[in-house]
Amino acid sequence: MAQQDAAPGPVAGRNFVAGEWIESVSGRTFESRNPADRDDLVGTFQASTAADVAMAVRAAEVAFPAWRATPAPKRGELLLRYAALLRRDKGPLARALTREMGKVLPEARGDVQEAIDIAELMAGEGRRMFGDTVPSELPDKWAMSIREPIGVAGIITPWNFPMAIPAWKTMPALVAGNTLVFKPASDTPHCATLLVELMAEAGFPPGVVNLVTGGGADVGDAMVDSPDVPVISFTGSTATGKRIAERAGRRLKRVALELGGKNAIVVLGDADLDLAVEGIAWSAFGTTGQRCTACSRVIVEAGVADRLMAKLEPRVRALRLGDGLLPTTDVGPLINEAAMAKVEEYVEIGRGEGERVCGGRRATGGDLDRGAFFEPTIFAGVAPMARIAQEEIFGPVLSVIPVADYDAAVTAVNQTRYGLSSSIYTRDVNVAFRAMRDFATGIVYVNAGTTGAETHLPFGGWKETGNGHREAGHVALDTYTEWKSVYVDFSGRLQRAQIDNQPG
């Protein structure tokens, strides 16, 4: 942990292949900078190529037979050791995370804690990797099913949860017996390096975990196109996910996609408005709105819309922007200038689609001039089908949509191409249960915001939010395992199955 314990300064990141830290064959590097302070160079990292990916894949292939043969409980013990190291270094890891991607320090600690939680959960799956034992239709015959690892897993992760999401993918893959090639987002290669350093310290054998940094066109595409990587797990934009699915489909790969969201909080007339305001502010502007589960739509019953806005506007205006490492900061920076440009573009679109209540500008002045800061923004009176109410912005922009009643709210919630998370604020238990049934999303909250998944439940969405796979919970193993059905006939004679052996 020498890198993360040292005083903040540039690091020289390398790829990790076959248990060794090595430079890319390209001889090129790229920079990672603090989005709260462009002058703060986090480090330089390897701008890898397809040749680097091929080396990593080969290392993972060589390591696979022995790792697969390692008993699953023993693999789980390594995950538990890794979780202990994450817990030991939680503070330094969180500070490094905030420095590289900008979220406030309490959120960064939560990011690391999610990695700890999933490592501990999946460690237990090493002793629980259940199949089914069922009675055979024939006498003196045993029937059961077991899970088997698939092989080399290609792991492609985003920058917004740069420790939690890699853990959500790598932990189930590893405990199931797969080996890995891990490509992190180019905005957060240092976070990935710190995670892999701890994996090496935990004792994962050489080649079981391999890290290759670089751009999607060079590294990600090479992983997706490799005939020796049978399973790909990707979290990112829906557009990129579709391209990955198309490329991987040519080789019939297993592909797990966790993609975009346009999440809604419904506030009904009987809601606790103070509670709703807190849930909205946290869901919409935590992580600067850069979460797939962020609330970007508030669908409010018209009779309480003005009262809600009277409480929400001052709450949002009071949010303090700044460096996420400062205890006075509520909202950190956007990840980079490209994200800033996208948010600014959608704010301009929003000016023609609703009434701007607050925000809507780049935040400047003092230390804010050094980073990519944007004011938390609310548009009111937005129509359900307006572009800012339909398209994923991935920034601190919230649309408030008035509707007549619960039925109209359900229509508005479901009238998008995404279906990740949703929420309803109401005191009516009957309506709450209707919402659980009616909202077409993979996650539904009652009297809480749209974010805050727990690692022992499945995480994922419907429609264009993904392709049906789930992360977290025991079902995460489904992405990284094949089912094998096993029959043992101990009758000592030929028993012909799948023919008509019934009398009559």
Side-chain angles (χ1 to χ4, degrees), residues 93 222 230 354 408-409 496 503:
L93 288 170
R496 292 177 293 176

Side-chain angles (χ1 to χ4, degrees), residues 198-214:
L198 290 184
M199 289 182 177
E201 184 179 348
F204 287 94
V208 170
V209 177
N210 302 276
L211 171 70
V212 183
T213 60

Side-chain angles (χ1 to χ4, degrees), residues 454-496:
E454 300 185 24
T455 55
H456 47 288
L457 286 178
F459 179 91
W462 299 9
K463 298 184 281 188
E464 291 194 16
T465 288
N467 63 342
H469 292 275
R470 291 293 183 268
E471 299 194 293
H474 66 86
V475 297
L477 295 170
D478 293 342
T479 295
Y480 304 103
T481 54
E482 294 281 13
W483 282 106
K484 179 182 287 184
S485 296
V486 179
Y487 302 96
V488 180
D489 191 315
F490 53 96
S491 67
R493 64 185 187 278
L494 174 64
Q495 298 194 90
R496 292 177 293 176

Side-chain angles (χ1 to χ4, degrees), residues 2 221 225 231-232 241 255 299 313 318 327 424 450 461 491:
D221 286 354
D225 292 339
V231 55
I232 296 287
V255 181
I299 298 168
E313 179 184 353
I424 187 167
T450 54
S491 67

Side-chain angles (χ1 to χ4, degrees), residues 137-138 141 487 495-501:
E137 64 189 29
L138 298 175
K141 187 178 180 182
Y487 302 96
Q495 298 194 90
R496 292 177 293 176
Q498 293 185 311
I499 65 170
D500 186 0
N501 56 13

